[in-house]
Amino acid sequence: MTFQALAQSRSEQRDLANLTTQDFWELKNLYQSPPSKIINSNRGVESILFQSVDYRGRPTEVFAYCSNPDMLTGKISSKKYPGVMLLHGGGGKAFQEWVEKWAAQGYAAIDMDFGGKDGEGI
């Protein structure tokens, strides 16, 4: 997955839906954003699901919170921001508050939940 989705407008994202798992790991494809869908928007932070690599031949999605300074203020622009990926280990969950904090400091931020949970740890 790349971080371009937050740093650029959604219109610049490319559709990766037809890529195989092998294609997914080609370097040129890693510079494209995977297909994603917004499932909620709250206080300028979006809850999203994005396509990940297949697991045992089945498609997978990853839950994440994401935002950037424009999203927090409700602006629409194509400005690029430095990015931060908030990663954690163990059985933790994604935190909306962390994304808000980093976006308020001028970053495009994403916090992913690798455990197959949503933002509530479920």
Side-chain angles (χ1 to χ4, degrees):
M1 155 143 171
T2 68
F3 199 51
Q4 274 184 300
L6 296 175
Q8 297 177 333
S9 71
R10 291 194 183 278
S11 64
E12 294 176 347
Q13 295 181 38
R14 295 189 180 154
D15 183 13
L16 299 182
N18 298 322
L19 293 181
T20 66
T21 301
Q22 183 179 0
D23 292 333
F24 187 88
W25 296 108
E26 291 291 328
L27 184 58
K28 66 180 176 146
N29 295 328
L30 292 176
Y31 286 96
Q32 299 178 45
S33 300
S36 64
K37 58 186 170 189
I38 299 169
I39 56 175
N40 192 14
S41 185
N42 184 20
R43 299 189 317 245
V45 177
E46 293 178 344
S47 301
I48 65 169
L49 289 172
F50 64 86
Q51 180 183 330
S52 185
V53 295
D54 291 349
Y55 178 72
R56 295 185 179 179
R58 300 177 80 178
T60 62
E61 293 181 317
V62 175
F63 175 86
Y65 289 115
C66 61
S67 189
N68 66 39
D70 286 345
M71 291 169 65
L72 286 182
T73 60
K75 295 179 184 176
I76 298 175
S77 78
S78 59
K79 185 174 179 181
K80 294 182 181 182
Y81 293 98
V84 62
M85 295 178 77
L86 304 163
L87 305 173
H88 54 79
K93 66 176 194 157
F95 290 95
Q96 179 173 340
E97 296 82 6
W98 291 359
V99 171
E100 289 175 11
K101 176 182 173 42
W102 283 95
Q105 296 297 315
Y107 293 86
I110 187 167
D111 191 3
M112 296 163 278
D113 190 318
F114 295 111
K117 302 173 184 163
D118 63 13
E120 300 301 318
I122 299 171

